Coordinates of all heavy atoms in Angstrom, one line a residue:
L196 N 149.7 139.2 -3.3 CA 150.0 140.2 -2.3 C 150.9 139.6 -1.3 O 151.8 140.3 -0.8 CB 148.7 140.7 -1.7 CG 147.7 141.5 -2.6 CD1 146.4 141.8 -1.9 CD2 148.3 142.7 -3.2
A197 N 150.6 138.4 -0.9 CA 151.5 137.8 0.1 C 152.9 137.6 -0.5 O 153.9 137.8 0.2 CB 151.0 136.4 0.6
G198 N 153.0 137.3 -1.8 CA 154.3 137.1 -2.4 C 155.1 138.4 -2.4 O 156.3 138.3 -2.2
I199 N 154.4 139.5 -2.7 CA 155.1 140.7 -2.7 C 155.7 141.1 -1.3 O 156.8 141.5 -1.2 CB 154.2 141.9 -3.2 CG1 153.8 141.7 -4.6 CG2 154.8 143.2 -3.0 CD1 152.6 142.6 -5.1
T200 N 154.9 140.8 -0.3 CA 155.3 141.1 1.1 C 156.5 140.1 1.4 O 157.5 140.6 2.0 CB 154.2 140.8 2.1 OG1 153.1 141.7 1.7 CG2 154.6 141.1 3.5
L201 N 156.4 138.9 1.0 CA 157.5 138.0 1.3 C 158.8 138.4 0.6 O 159.9 138.3 1.2 CB 157.1 136.5 0.9 CG 156.2 135.8 1.9 CD1 155.7 134.5 1.2 CD2 156.9 135.6 3.2
V202 N 158.7 138.8 -0.6 CA 159.9 139.2 -1.4 C 160.5 140.4 -0.8 O 161.7 140.5 -0.6 CB 159.5 139.4 -2.9 CG1 160.7 140.1 -3.6 CG2 159.2 138.1 -3.6
A203 N 159.7 141.4 -0.4 CA 160.2 142.6 0.2 C 160.9 142.3 1.5 O 162.0 142.8 1.8 CB 159.1 143.6 0.4
S204 N 160.3 141.5 2.4 CA 160.8 141.1 3.7 C 162.1 140.3 3.6 O 163.1 140.7 4.2 CB 159.8 140.4 4.5 OG 158.6 141.1 4.7
F205 N 162.1 139.3 2.7 CA 163.3 138.5 2.6 C 164.4 139.2 1.9 O 165.6 139.0 2.2 CB 163.0 137.2 1.9 CG 162.3 136.2 2.8 CD1 161.1 135.7 2.5 CD2 163.0 135.6 3.9 CE1 160.5 134.8 3.3 CE2 162.4 134.7 4.7 CZ 161.1 134.3 4.4
S206 N 164.1 140.2 1.0 CA 165.1 141.0 0.4 C 165.8 141.8 1.4 O 167.1 141.9 1.4 CB 164.5 141.9 -0.7 OG 164.0 141.1 -1.7
L207 N 165.1 142.4 2.3 CA 165.7 143.2 3.4 C 166.6 142.3 4.3 O 167.7 142.7 4.6 CB 164.6 143.9 4.2 CG 165.0 144.7 5.4 CD1 165.9 145.9 5.0 CD2 163.8 145.1 6.3
I208 N 166.1 141.2 4.6 CA 166.9 140.3 5.5 C 168.1 139.8 4.8 O 169.2 139.8 5.4 CB 166.0 139.0 5.9 CG1 164.9 139.5 6.8 CG2 166.9 138.0 6.5 CD1 163.8 138.4 7.1
L209 N 168.0 139.5 3.5 CA 169.2 139.0 2.7 C 170.2 140.1 2.5 O 171.4 139.9 2.6 CB 168.8 138.4 1.4 CG 168.0 137.1 1.5 CD1 167.5 136.7 0.1 CD2 168.9 136.0 2.1
I210 N 169.7 141.3 2.3 CA 170.7 142.5 2.1 C 171.4 142.7 3.5 O 172.6 143.0 3.5 CB 169.9 143.7 1.7 CG1 169.5 143.6 0.2 CG2 170.8 145.0 1.9 CD1 168.6 144.7 -0.3
S211 N 170.6 142.7 4.6 CA 171.2 142.9 5.9 C 172.3 141.8 6.2 O 173.3 142.1 6.8 CB 170.2 142.9 7.0 OG 169.3 144.0 6.8
A212 N 172.0 140.6 5.8 CA 172.9 139.5 6.1 C 174.1 139.4 5.2 O 175.2 139.2 5.7 CB 172.1 138.1 6.0
F213 N 173.9 139.6 3.9 CA 175.0 139.4 2.9 C 175.7 140.6 2.4 O 176.8 140.6 1.8 CB 174.5 138.5 1.8 CG 174.1 137.1 2.2 CD1 172.8 136.7 2.2 CD2 175.1 136.2 2.6 CE1 172.5 135.5 2.7 CE2 174.8 135.0 3.1 CZ 173.4 134.6 3.1
A214 N 175.0 141.8 2.6 CA 175.6 143.0 2.1 C 175.3 144.2 3.1 O 174.6 145.1 2.8 CB 175.1 143.4 0.7
P215 N 175.7 144.0 4.3 CA 175.4 145.0 5.3 C 175.9 146.4 5.1 O 175.3 147.4 5.6 CB 176.0 144.4 6.6 CG 177.0 143.5 6.2 CD 176.6 142.9 4.9
E216 N 176.9 146.5 4.2 CA 177.5 147.8 3.9 C 176.5 148.6 3.1 O 176.5 149.9 3.2 CB 178.8 147.7 3.2 CG 178.7 147.1 1.8 CD 178.7 145.5 1.8 OE1 178.8 144.9 2.9 OE2 178.6 145.0 0.7
L217 N 175.6 148.0 2.4 CA 174.6 148.7 1.7 C 173.6 149.5 2.6 O 173.2 150.6 2.4 CB 173.8 147.8 0.7 CG 174.6 147.2 -0.4 CD1 173.7 146.3 -1.2 CD2 175.1 148.3 -1.3
S218 N 173.1 148.7 3.6 CA 172.2 149.4 4.5 C 172.8 150.2 5.6 O 172.2 150.9 6.4 CB 171.2 148.3 5.1 OG 172.0 147.4 5.9
A219 N 174.1 150.1 5.8 CA 174.9 150.8 6.8 C 175.4 152.2 6.3 O 175.9 152.9 7.1 CB 176.0 150.0 7.3
K220 N 175.2 152.4 5.0 CA 175.7 153.7 4.5 C 174.8 154.9 5.0 O 173.5 154.7 4.9 CB 175.6 153.7 3.0 CG 176.7 153.0 2.3 CD 176.6 153.2 0.8 CE 177.8 152.5 0.1 NZ 177.7 152.7 -1.4
P221 N 175.4 156.0 5.4 CA 174.5 157.1 5.8 C 173.8 157.7 4.6 O 174.3 157.6 3.5 CB 175.5 158.1 6.4 CG 176.8 157.3 6.6 CD 176.8 156.2 5.7
I222 N 172.7 158.3 4.8 CA 171.9 158.9 3.8 C 172.7 160.1 3.1 O 172.7 160.3 1.9 CB 170.5 159.4 4.3 CG1 169.7 158.1 4.6 CG2 169.8 160.2 3.2 CD1 168.3 158.4 5.2
S223 N 173.4 160.8 4.0 CA 174.2 161.9 3.5 C 175.5 161.9 4.4 O 175.5 161.2 5.4 CB 173.5 163.3 3.6 OG 173.3 163.6 4.9
E224 N 176.5 162.6 4.0 CA 177.7 162.7 4.8 C 177.5 163.2 6.2 O 178.2 162.7 7.1 CB 178.8 163.5 4.0 CG 179.3 162.9 2.8 CD 180.4 163.7 2.1 OE1 181.0 164.5 2.8 OE2 180.6 163.5 0.9
S225 N 176.6 164.1 6.4 CA 176.4 164.6 7.7 C 175.3 163.9 8.5 O 175.0 164.3 9.7 CB 176.1 166.1 7.6 OG 174.9 166.3 6.9
S226 N 174.7 162.9 8.0 CA 173.6 162.3 8.6 C 174.0 161.1 9.4 O 174.9 160.4 9.1 CB 172.6 161.8 7.5 OG 171.5 161.1 8.1
V227 N 173.3 160.9 10.5 CA 173.5 159.7 11.3 C 172.5 158.6 11.0 O 172.6 157.4 11.4 CB 173.4 160.0 12.8 CG1 174.6 160.9 13.3 CG2 172.1 160.5 13.2
I228 N 171.6 158.9 10.1 CA 170.6 157.9 9.7 C 171.1 157.2 8.5 O 171.6 157.8 7.5 CB 169.2 158.7 9.3 CG1 168.7 159.4 10.5 CG2 168.2 157.7 8.7 CD1 167.4 160.2 10.2
T229 N 171.1 155.9 8.6 CA 171.6 155.0 7.5 C 170.4 154.6 6.6 O 169.3 154.8 6.9 CB 172.2 153.8 8.0 OG1 171.2 153.0 8.7 CG2 173.4 154.1 9.0
W230 N 170.8 154.1 5.4 CA 169.8 153.7 4.4 C 168.9 152.5 4.9 O 167.8 152.3 4.4 CB 170.5 153.3 3.1 CG 170.8 154.5 2.3 CD1 172.0 155.0 2.0 CD2 169.9 155.3 1.6 NE1 171.9 156.1 1.3 CE2 170.6 156.3 0.9 CE3 168.5 155.3 1.4 CZ2 170.0 157.3 0.1 CZ3 167.9 156.3 0.6 CH2 168.7 157.3 0.0
G231 N 169.4 151.8 5.9 CA 168.6 150.7 6.4 C 167.3 151.1 7.1 O 166.3 150.4 7.0
I232 N 167.3 152.3 7.7 CA 166.1 152.7 8.4 C 165.0 153.0 7.4 O 163.9 152.5 7.5 CB 166.5 153.9 9.3 CG1 167.4 153.4 10.4 CG2 165.2 154.6 9.8 CD1 167.9 154.5 11.3
P233 N 165.2 153.9 6.4 CA 164.1 154.1 5.4 C 163.7 152.9 4.6 O 162.5 152.7 4.3 CB 164.6 155.2 4.5 CG 166.0 155.4 4.8 CD 166.3 154.8 6.1
I234 N 164.7 152.0 4.4 CA 164.3 150.8 3.6 C 163.5 149.9 4.5 O 162.4 149.3 4.1 CB 165.6 150.0 3.2 CG1 166.3 150.8 2.1 CG2 165.3 148.6 2.7 CD1 167.7 150.3 1.8
G235 N 163.8 149.7 5.8 CA 163.0 148.9 6.7 C 161.6 149.5 6.9 O 160.6 148.8 6.9
L236 N 161.6 150.8 7.1 CA 160.2 151.5 7.2 C 159.4 151.3 5.9 O 158.2 151.1 6.0 CB 160.4 153.0 7.5 CG 160.9 153.3 8.9 CD1 161.2 154.8 9.0 CD2 159.9 152.9 9.9
S237 N 160.0 151.3 4.8 CA 159.3 151.2 3.5 C 158.7 149.7 3.4 O 157.6 149.6 2.9 CB 160.1 151.5 2.3 OG 161.2 150.6 2.2
V238 N 159.4 148.8 3.9 CA 158.9 147.4 4.0 C 157.7 147.3 4.9 O 156.7 146.7 4.5 CB 160.0 146.4 4.4 CG1 159.4 145.0 4.7 CG2 161.1 146.3 3.3
I239 N 157.8 148.0 6.0 CA 156.6 148.0 7.0 C 155.4 148.7 6.3 O 154.3 148.2 6.4 CB 157.0 148.7 8.3 CG1 158.1 147.8 9.0 CG2 155.8 148.9 9.2 CD1 158.7 148.4 10.2
L240 N 155.7 149.9 5.7 CA 154.6 150.6 5.1 C 154.0 149.8 3.9 O 152.8 149.8 3.7 CB 155.1 152.0 4.6 CG 155.4 152.9 5.7 CD1 156.0 154.2 5.2 CD2 154.2 153.2 6.6
L241 N 154.8 149.1 3.1 CA 154.3 148.3 2.1 C 153.4 147.2 2.6 O 152.4 146.9 2.0 CB 155.5 147.7 1.3 CG 155.1 146.7 0.2 CD1 154.4 147.5 -1.0 CD2 156.4 146.0 -0.3
S242 N 153.8 146.6 3.7 CA 152.9 145.6 4.3 C 151.6 146.1 4.7 O 150.5 145.5 4.5 CB 153.7 144.9 5.5 OG 154.8 144.3 5.1
F243 N 151.6 147.3 5.3 CA 150.3 147.9 5.7 C 149.5 148.2 4.5 O 148.3 148.0 4.5 CB 150.6 149.2 6.5 CG 150.8 149.0 8.0 CD1 152.0 149.2 8.5 CD2 149.7 148.6 8.8 CE1 152.3 148.9 9.8 CE2 149.9 148.4 10.1 CZ 151.2 148.6 10.7
L244 N 150.1 148.8 3.4 CA 149.4 149.1 2.2 C 148.8 147.8 1.6 O 147.6 147.8 1.2 CB 150.3 149.8 1.2 CG 149.7 150.1 -0.2 CD1 148.7 151.2 0.0 CD2 150.8 150.5 -1.1
L245 N 149.5 146.8 1.5 CA 149.0 145.6 0.9 C 147.9 144.9 1.7 O 147.0 144.3 1.2 CB 150.2 144.6 0.6 CG 151.2 145.0 -0.4 CD1 152.3 144.0 -0.5 CD2 150.5 145.2 -1.8
T246 N 148.1 145.0 3.0 CA 147.0 144.5 3.9 C 145.7 145.3 3.7 O 144.6 144.7 3.6 CB 147.4 144.6 5.4 OG1 148.6 143.9 5.6 CG2 146.3 144.2 6.3
G247 N 145.8 146.6 3.5 CA 144.6 147.5 3.2 C 144.0 147.1 1.9 O 142.8 147.0 1.8
I248 N 144.8 146.9 0.9 CA 144.3 146.4 -0.4 C 143.5 145.1 -0.3 O 142.4 145.0 -0.8 CB 145.4 146.3 -1.4 CG1 146.0 147.7 -1.8 CG2 145.0 145.6 -2.7 CD1 147.3 147.7 -2.6
Y249 N 144.1 144.2 0.5 CA 143.5 142.9 0.6 C 142.1 143.0 1.4 O 141.1 142.4 1.0 CB 144.4 141.9 1.4 CG 143.6 140.6 1.7 CD1 143.4 139.7 0.7 CD2 143.1 140.4 2.9 CE1 142.7 138.5 0.9 CE2 142.4 139.2 3.2 CZ 142.2 138.3 2.2 OH 141.5 137.2 2.4
V250 N 142.1 143.8 2.4 CA 140.9 144.0 3.2 C 139.8 144.6 2.4 O 138.7 144.2 2.4 CB 141.2 144.8 4.5 CG1 139.9 145.2 5.2 CG2 142.1 144.0 5.5
R251 N 140.2 145.6 1.6 CA 139.2 146.3 0.8 C 138.6 145.3 -0.3 O 137.4 145.2 -0.5 CB 139.8 147.5 0.1 CG 138.8 148.2 -0.8 CD 139.5 149.4 -1.4 NE 138.5 150.1 -2.2 CZ 138.5 151.4 -2.4 NH1 139.5 152.1 -2.0 NH2 137.5 151.9 -3.1
R252 N 139.5 144.5 -0.9 CA 139.1 143.5 -1.9 C 138.2 142.4 -1.2 O 137.2 142.0 -1.8 CB 140.2 142.9 -2.6 CG 139.8 142.1 -3.7 CD 141.0 141.6 -4.6 NE 140.6 140.8 -5.6 CZ 141.3 140.0 -6.3 NH1 142.6 140.0 -6.1 NH2 140.8 139.2 -7.2
A253 N 138.7 142.0 0.0 CA 137.9 140.9 0.7 C 136.5 141.4 1.0 O 135.6 140.6 0.9 CB 138.7 140.5 1.9
N254 N 136.4 142.6 1.5 CA 135.1 143.1 1.9 C 134.2 143.4 0.8 O 133.0 143.4 0.9 CB 135.3 144.4 2.8 CG 135.8 144.1 4.1 OD1 135.8 143.0 4.6 ND2 136.5 145.1 4.8
S255 N 134.7 143.7 -0.4 CA 133.9 144.0 -1.5 C 133.6 142.8 -2.4 O 132.5 142.5 -2.7 CB 134.4 145.2 -2.3 OG 135.7 144.8 -2.9
E256 N 134.6 142.1 -2.8 CA 134.5 141.0 -3.8 C 134.3 139.7 -3.2 O 133.3 139.0 -3.5 CB 135.8 141.0 -4.6 CG 135.7 140.0 -5.8 CD 137.0 140.1 -6.6 OE1 137.7 141.1 -6.6 OE2 137.4 139.0 -7.1
F257 N 135.1 139.3 -2.2 CA 135.0 138.0 -1.6 C 133.7 137.8 -0.8 O 133.2 136.7 -0.7 CB 136.2 137.7 -0.8 CG 137.5 137.7 -1.6 CD1 138.7 138.1 -1.0 CD2 137.5 137.3 -2.9 CE1 139.9 138.2 -1.8 CE2 138.7 137.3 -3.7 CZ 139.9 137.8 -3.1
D258 N 133.2 138.8 -0.1 CA 132.0 138.7 0.6 C 130.8 138.3 -0.3 O 129.9 137.6 0.1 CB 131.7 140.0 1.4 CG 132.6 140.1 2.7 OD1 133.3 139.1 3.0 OD2 132.5 141.2 3.3
H259 N 130.8 138.9 -1.5 CA 129.7 138.6 -2.4 C 129.8 137.1 -2.8 O 128.8 136.4 -2.9 CB 129.8 139.5 -3.7 CG 129.6 140.9 -3.4 ND1 128.4 141.4 -2.9 CD2 130.4 142.0 -3.5 CE1 128.5 142.7 -2.7 NE2 129.7 143.1 -3.1
F260 N 131.0 136.6 -3.1 CA 131.2 135.2 -3.4 C 130.7 134.3 -2.3 O 130.0 133.3 -2.5 CB 132.7 134.9 -3.7 CG 133.1 135.4 -5.1 CD1 134.4 136.0 -5.1 CD2 132.4 135.4 -6.2 CE1 134.9 136.5 -6.3 CE2 132.8 136.0 -7.4 CZ 134.1 136.5 -7.4
S261 N 131.1 134.6 -1.1 CA 130.7 133.8 0.1 C 129.2 133.8 0.2 O 128.6 132.8 0.5 CB 131.3 134.4 1.4 OG 132.7 134.3 1.3
K262 N 128.6 135.0 0.1 CA 127.1 135.1 0.2 C 126.4 134.2 -0.9 O 125.5 133.5 -0.6 CB 126.6 136.5 0.1 CG 125.1 136.7 0.3 CD 124.8 138.1 0.1 CE 123.3 138.4 0.3 NZ 122.4 137.6 -0.6
D263 N 126.9 134.3 -2.1 CA 126.4 133.5 -3.2 C 126.5 132.0 -2.9 O 125.6 131.2 -3.2 CB 127.1 133.8 -4.5 CG 126.7 135.2 -5.0 OD1 125.8 135.8 -4.6 OD2 127.5 135.7 -5.9
I264 N 127.6 131.6 -2.4 CA 127.8 130.1 -2.0 C 126.9 129.7 -0.9 O 126.2 128.7 -1.0 CB 129.3 129.9 -1.6 CG1 130.2 130.1 -2.8 CG2 129.5 128.5 -1.0 CD1 131.7 130.1 -2.5
V265 N 126.7 130.5 0.1 CA 125.8 130.2 1.2 C 124.4 130.1 0.7 O 123.6 129.2 1.0 CB 126.0 131.2 2.4 CG1 124.9 131.0 3.4 CG2 127.3 131.0 3.0
D266 N 124.0 131.1 -0.1 CA 122.6 131.1 -0.7 C 122.4 129.9 -1.5 O 121.3 129.3 -1.5 CB 122.4 132.4 -1.5 CG 122.3 133.6 -0.7 OD1 122.1 133.5 0.6 OD2 122.4 134.7 -1.2
H267 N 123.4 129.5 -2.3 CA 123.2 128.3 -3.2 C 123.1 127.0 -2.3 O 122.2 126.2 -2.6 CB 124.5 128.2 -4.1 CG 124.4 127.0 -5.0 ND1 123.6 126.9 -6.1 CD2 125.1 125.8 -5.0 CE1 123.8 125.8 -6.7 NE2 124.7 125.1 -6.0
I268 N 123.9 126.9 -1.3 CA 123.8 125.7 -0.4 C 122.5 125.7 0.3 O 121.8 124.6 0.4 CB 125.0 125.7 0.6 CG1 126.3 125.5 -0.2 CG2 124.7 124.7 1.7 CD1 127.5 125.7 0.7
R269 N 122.0 126.8 0.8 CA 120.7 126.9 1.5 C 119.6 126.5 0.5 O 118.6 125.8 0.8 CB 120.4 128.2 2.1 CG 121.2 128.5 3.3 CD 120.9 129.8 4.0 NE 121.7 129.9 5.2 CZ 122.0 131.1 5.7 NH1 121.5 132.2 5.1 NH2 122.7 131.2 6.8
K270 N 119.6 127.0 -0.7 CA 118.6 126.7 -1.7 C 118.6 125.2 -2.0 O 117.5 124.6 -2.1 CB 118.9 127.5 -3.0 CG 117.9 127.3 -4.1 CD 118.3 128.1 -5.3 CE 117.5 127.6 -6.5 NZ 118.0 128.2 -7.8
N271 N 119.7 124.6 -2.2 CA 119.8 123.2 -2.6 C 119.5 122.3 -1.4 O 118.9 121.2 -1.5 CB 121.2 122.8 -3.1 CG 121.4 123.4 -4.5 OD1 120.5 123.6 -5.2 ND2 122.7 123.5 -4.8
H272 N 119.7 122.8 -0.2 CA 119.4 122.0 1.0 C 117.9 122.0 1.3 O 117.4 121.0 1.8 CB 120.2 122.6 2.2 CG 119.9 121.9 3.5 ND1 120.4 120.6 3.7 CD2 119.3 122.3 4.7 CE1 120.0 120.2 4.9 NE2 119.4 121.2 5.5
D273 N 117.2 123.1 1.0 CA 115.8 123.2 1.2 C 115.0 122.3 0.3 O 113.9 121.9 0.6 CB 115.4 124.6 1.2 CG 115.9 125.5 2.3 OD1 116.3 124.9 3.3 OD2 115.9 126.7 2.1
E274 N 115.6 122.0 -0.9 CA 114.8 121.2 -1.9 C 114.7 119.8 -1.5 O 115.2 119.1 -0.9 CB 115.5 121.4 -3.3 CG 115.4 122.8 -3.8 CD 116.1 122.9 -5.1 OE1 116.8 122.0 -5.6 OE2 116.0 124.0 -5.7

């Protein structure tokens, strides 16, 4: 998940740095909004989405692993 976020973020930065004409094109001939704005917003939304996926997985799957580890350590420590 972190890799996806990094690739998306760095892609946006690299496009802005080396091919600014791509993100500077208007969405339509009569629009003042350029393609850079929806692309940038999509990177932000992707980050929020991936964070939500991680939090959901962490709260469901990883918490069980942590509890099992703590229980195992307590069991072995008491012996």
Side-chain angles (χ1 to χ4, degrees):
L196 296 175
I199 295 169
T200 304
L201 283 172
V202 167
S204 298
F205 281 117
S206 296
L207 177 64
I208 292 168
L209 291 173
I210 288 171
S211 297
F213 296 109
E216 65 278 356
L217 294 176
S218 61
K220 282 186 179 178
I222 292 178
S223 68
E224 290 184 21
S225 62
S226 178
V227 294
I228 298 174
T229 63
W230 279 106
I232 293 172
I234 293 171
L236 286 174
S237 65
V238 170
I239 293 169
L240 293 175
L241 177 68
S242 298
F243 276 108
L244 175 70
L245 293 177
T246 300
I248 291 169
Y249 173 78
V250 168
R251 183 177 181 154
R252 186 171 179 198
N254 287 339
S255 62
E256 186 178 330
F257 299 146
D258 282 352
H259 296 296
F260 289 140
S261 297
K262 184 182 178 304
D263 291 344
I264 292 169
V265 170
D266 290 345
H267 180 73
I268 291 171
R269 285 186 180 156
K270 179 182 168 190
N271 288 338
H272 180 67
D273 291 339
E274 292 178 354

